Amino acid sequence: MFCHYYVHRTCALSEEQISHPFHPHHKLNLLKAKHQYFRCNACRYTFSKYGYHYYCEDCHFALHLAYAALIPIKVNENLINHKHPLVLCDKPNGNDYHYICNFCAEDFKDYDRVYVCQVCHCLLHESCAALPREIRHPFHPEHPLTLLPVAIDRGECDVCDKPCYAGTFLYHCSLCRFNMDVHCITLKPTAENSDIGTSQEQLPIIAHPHPHPLIQCHTIKNFRRLCFGCNLPFEDFIYACFKCRILLHKSCADLPPEIVHPFHLQHPLILGKNDGGYRCNGCHKASGKLVYSCKQCRIIFDLKCARAKPHFIMISQVHKHSLVFIDFETGTMRCSKCRDICNKFLFRCVECDDSIHDHCYPLLPQTLEHECHCDPLILHRSEIKDIPDEDENAEFYCHACEELRTLSHPTYYCAGCHFVAHVHCVISEILPYLDKELIALAAKVENTKLEEATDVMFPYEDYQDYVTADEDPVHEEATIATEDVGEPKADHVLCEVNEKIASLETEVDKITKELARLKERRAQHTASGVTH
């Protein structure tokens, strides 16, 4: 009979009774946690009610199994700034434990030293142990900030709004009830005159569309906080808003309040907070805190997809809506054709939340030419091995990109040279073919960095200029007056496509006629040569 009880190998080998340097007076017994309000005397964190710990009944001294496994090396009484002796410890080798610093709430890396303070009941990085006990900071120049352990009622950091959990440390002003975590305390305004004597209201303000003042700060190496808007690390300056208690890239602070986007032309997209933690309808990934959304259609886009630069949007014969070709990594989705997972190189319908692998698309050209190979490539939907009797579990590679390929997926193949290519490796030739076959405006989404400018993201108030740029100026004023500005017209996309097709057809006719004329001249010249 099985009880479905699982433990790490390291935990299973724990001794029932130990002697430990953190509590040398008595032995510690291995016990199952009875009460969740008991705290570890090394790290201050509570115990899981299902877990085990070492415990001394006489002294009510308790240790997590992980911290009981630490091996003390020496006591360092002279480490800068910390007021108590610190015990330098080695982490045990070959175990399943991981350790968290109480000051910064970050994991210890393999190479990090672990310091334990038995008075503060905490584990510290060496850099965190060197933090000053009291500082003055430009973000709160009125009073000094004191480094304190977090109590339950101390709330969030007043700069980034991140919660400060019990068991960690923060800088606190008891007079103003102002908090800063140990990450935000490293932020420094870029202005030369933003010294400690400058009040928060006197800090230099940066011009931007954000509704509140923003303070520009220097970027800190390995800064642990992410941008509130896009949830990506900071590479350039950091912009702090004290009113919203958020940190932003400048590009995220400069976002327009409304945009028109090719992914959803029916209505404008409105910039707002993603308080519900919803996933992006474009890439299916977890969104940042700022998103563009259409409440009427219940569609949201994260900033990466909202800023994507479309090259091709197809009006497909295999689907009732436009399909977008996406070549960057997305969240986990299922292909509507084969039902397998797809998360890159796919055709996607945002409105139906439908996705199709590039190699599952039913109208791929049977033959094409591509610069990756000198001969024509033929679409093969059967398995192509490097050696006919090769094991199916072997590794197979695409000869165009030299990356692994899945044996069961369709590929483009040259039998004479035994050259095999992924469908997405020759997509540059497939999309123009689909453009001709499916009538369409093409679309490819590039993985654009947030800091780069894009051509498709523009304020909604500029939309009329966009859609009427090619119209007769005599009728422009009347058109704007009679149309509802709140409902953007999507027909201009099809009009542009039809105009492009008509123009290309005219050119093709000219080329065809010229080709026929040249062939006739060649025939006449050949006949004349034979006669003479």
Side-chain angles (χ1 to χ4, degrees):
M1 182 177 179
F2 297 99
C3 55
H4 301 290
Y5 184 79
Y6 303 96
V7 293
H8 291 120
R9 181 178 181 276
T10 309
C11 296
L13 297 175
S14 299
E15 299 179 23
E16 292 187 8
Q17 190 179 75
I18 63 169
S19 296
H20 200 277
F22 288 176
H23 190 68
H25 314 297
H26 307 103
K27 291 194 174 184
L28 302 177
N29 297 308
L30 183 65
L31 296 174
K32 186 174 182 179
K34 298 179 180 179
H35 305 287
Q36 282 186 281
Y37 53 80
F38 279 168
R39 292 184 181 276
C40 175
N41 284 74
C43 68
R44 194 184 288 269
Y45 289 113
T46 57
F47 297 105
S48 165
K49 65 179 180 180
Y50 302 108
Y52 281 77
H53 63 279
Y54 284 105
Y55 187 66
C56 174
E57 290 278 358
D58 296 333
C59 307
H60 301 294
F61 181 91
L63 280 178
H64 281 111
L65 298 188
Y67 299 119
L70 288 171
I71 306 167
I73 300 175
K74 65 177 181 178
V75 177
N76 191 333
E77 299 185 0
N78 301 315
L79 200 65
I80 300 173
N81 291 324
H82 198 77
K83 59 183 178 182
H84 307 127
L86 295 175
V87 181
L88 176 61
C89 298
D90 264 348
K91 297 187 290 293
N93 295 323
N95 62 72
D96 303 293
Y97 300 136
H98 76 279
Y99 302 92
I100 299 175
C101 174
N102 290 84
F103 273 39
C104 65
E106 299 291 337
D107 290 346
F108 284 89
K109 308 298 183 187
D110 291 339
Y111 52 83
D112 286 337
R113 290 184 166 188
V114 179
Y115 287 89
V116 179
C117 177
Q118 295 177 267
V119 179
C120 298
H121 305 300
C122 64
L123 271 67
L124 304 93
H125 291 106
E126 185 171 5
S127 58
C128 293
L131 288 171
R133 304 174 203 173
E134 186 176 278
I135 65 167
R136 299 186 72 89
H137 197 278
F139 288 178
H140 189 72
E142 295 83 2
H143 310 106
L145 301 173
T146 306
L147 185 64
L148 296 173
V150 174
I152 295 175
D153 61 347
R154 286 216 172 93
E156 297 81 22
C157 172
D158 285 294
V159 176
C160 68
D161 204 38
K162 294 290 183 183
C164 301
Y165 298 106
T168 60
F169 284 68
L170 55 71
Y171 282 94
H172 179 68
C173 173
S174 57
L175 295 175
C176 305
R177 299 184 65 83
F178 181 86
N179 299 324
M180 285 184 72
D181 62 36
V182 296
H183 301 292
C184 293
I185 207 72
T186 59
L187 292 173
K188 303 296 180 186
T190 55
E192 296 179 359
N193 61 344
S194 56
D195 53 28
I196 301 302
T198 306
S199 67
Q200 196 179 93
E201 290 76 13
Q202 293 174 322
L203 288 173
I205 306 302
I206 307 301
H208 56 85
H210 189 75
H212 308 125
L214 288 181
I215 309 302
Q216 187 185 60
C217 301
H218 291 288
T219 305
I220 295 92
K221 186 179 180 180
N222 298 324
F223 186 58
R224 299 290 186 177
R225 293 291 177 250
L226 303 177
C227 174
F228 178 87
C230 60
N231 207 35
L232 293 176
F234 290 97
E235 298 177 357
D236 205 340
F237 294 112
I238 300 170
Y239 293 81
C241 174
F242 294 121
K243 184 75 173 177
C244 300
R245 299 204 298 188
I246 60 176
L247 303 174
L248 295 167
H249 292 111
K250 187 174 189 303
S251 59
C252 293
D254 290 340
L255 293 170
E258 292 185 3
I259 63 168
V260 172
H261 198 279
F263 286 178
H264 188 68
L265 286 169
Q266 295 90 327
H267 310 105
L269 301 177
I270 311 300
L271 181 65
K273 286 187 178 181
N274 182 22
D275 293 326
Y278 300 108
R279 290 183 177 273
C280 170
N281 287 87
C283 64
H284 256 235
K285 283 190 172 182
S287 304
K289 293 293 185 179
L290 287 181
V291 294
Y292 280 96
S293 66
C294 173
K295 292 185 178 179
Q296 183 174 344
C297 301
R298 296 185 178 182
I299 287 178
I300 71 166
F301 297 99
D302 63 18
L303 298 189
K304 181 185 74 173
C305 286
R307 297 183 66 112
K309 185 178 180 180
H311 286 184
F312 306 100
I313 297 178
M314 301 190 314
I315 302 171
S316 173
Q317 290 181 353
V318 300
H319 193 78
K320 61 183 178 181
H321 299 126
S322 297
L323 295 178
V324 180
F325 179 69
I326 294 179
D327 65 349
F328 60 81
E329 189 169 344
T330 67
T332 301
M333 297 178 278
R334 287 200 177 272
C335 173
S336 62
K337 298 298 181 183
C338 68
R339 305 308 301 167
D340 283 345
I341 297 296
C342 57
N343 55 11
K344 195 175 183 181
F345 304 120
L346 54 100
F347 293 101
R348 176 147 178 80
C349 173
V350 172
E351 296 194 40
C352 294
D353 193 20
D354 195 11
S355 304
I356 304 173
H357 285 122
D358 57 350
H359 54 264
C360 290
Y361 196 80
L363 299 179
L364 295 174
Q366 290 301 310
T367 305
L368 58 78
E369 293 184 358
H370 192 269
E371 60 182 10
C372 68
H373 191 63
C374 56
D375 299 325
L377 300 174
I378 299 172
L379 178 65
H380 273 253
R381 298 190 182 274
S382 57
E383 296 180 353
I384 299 176
K385 299 180 180 180
D386 295 334
I387 304 172
D389 58 349
E390 193 169 5
D391 186 358
E392 292 186 359
N393 296 322
E395 292 183 344
F396 301 94
Y397 289 85
C398 167
H399 296 132
C401 66
E402 299 183 353
E403 298 288 338
L404 285 171
R405 61 182 174 90
T406 303
L407 188 61
S408 59
H409 290 176
T411 53
Y412 278 91
Y413 180 56
C414 173
C417 306
H418 194 69
F419 183 92
V420 188
H422 290 122
V423 171
H424 63 257
C425 287
V426 294
I427 198 71
S428 60
E429 294 299 325
I430 294 175
L431 290 174
Y433 169 85
L434 297 178
D435 185 32
K436 296 176 183 177
E437 293 295 316
L438 307 178
I439 322 170
L441 180 75
K444 176 184 177 184
V445 179
E446 291 180 351
N447 192 8
T448 309
K449 288 186 178 180
L450 288 176
E451 288 75 10
E452 295 177 355
T454 63
D455 296 334
V456 302
M457 188 174 183
F458 46 85
Y460 182 62
E461 54 266 24
D462 296 337
Y463 181 67
Q464 289 296 336
D465 295 336
Y466 172 75
V467 299
T468 59
D470 297 327
E471 294 181 0
D472 186 349
V474 175
H475 302 291
E476 183 175 354
E477 184 176 352
T479 303
I480 296 175
T482 55
E483 290 184 355
D484 181 8
V485 179
E487 291 287 337
K489 186 174 71 174
D491 290 343
H492 73 281
V493 177
L494 189 56
C495 291
E496 289 181 0
V497 176
N498 290 334
E499 289 177 4
K500 182 180 178 182
I501 291 173
S503 176
L504 291 174
E505 287 176 345
T506 302
E507 291 182 16
V508 169
D509 288 340
K510 291 180 179 178
I511 293 172
T512 303
K513 291 177 181 178
E514 179 66 16
L515 183 61
R517 188 180 67 81
L518 291 173
K519 285 181 177 180
E520 185 179 352
R521 285 186 61 188
R522 182 179 64 183
Q524 292 174 354
H525 180 74
T526 304
S528 175
V530 172
T531 303
H532 294 289

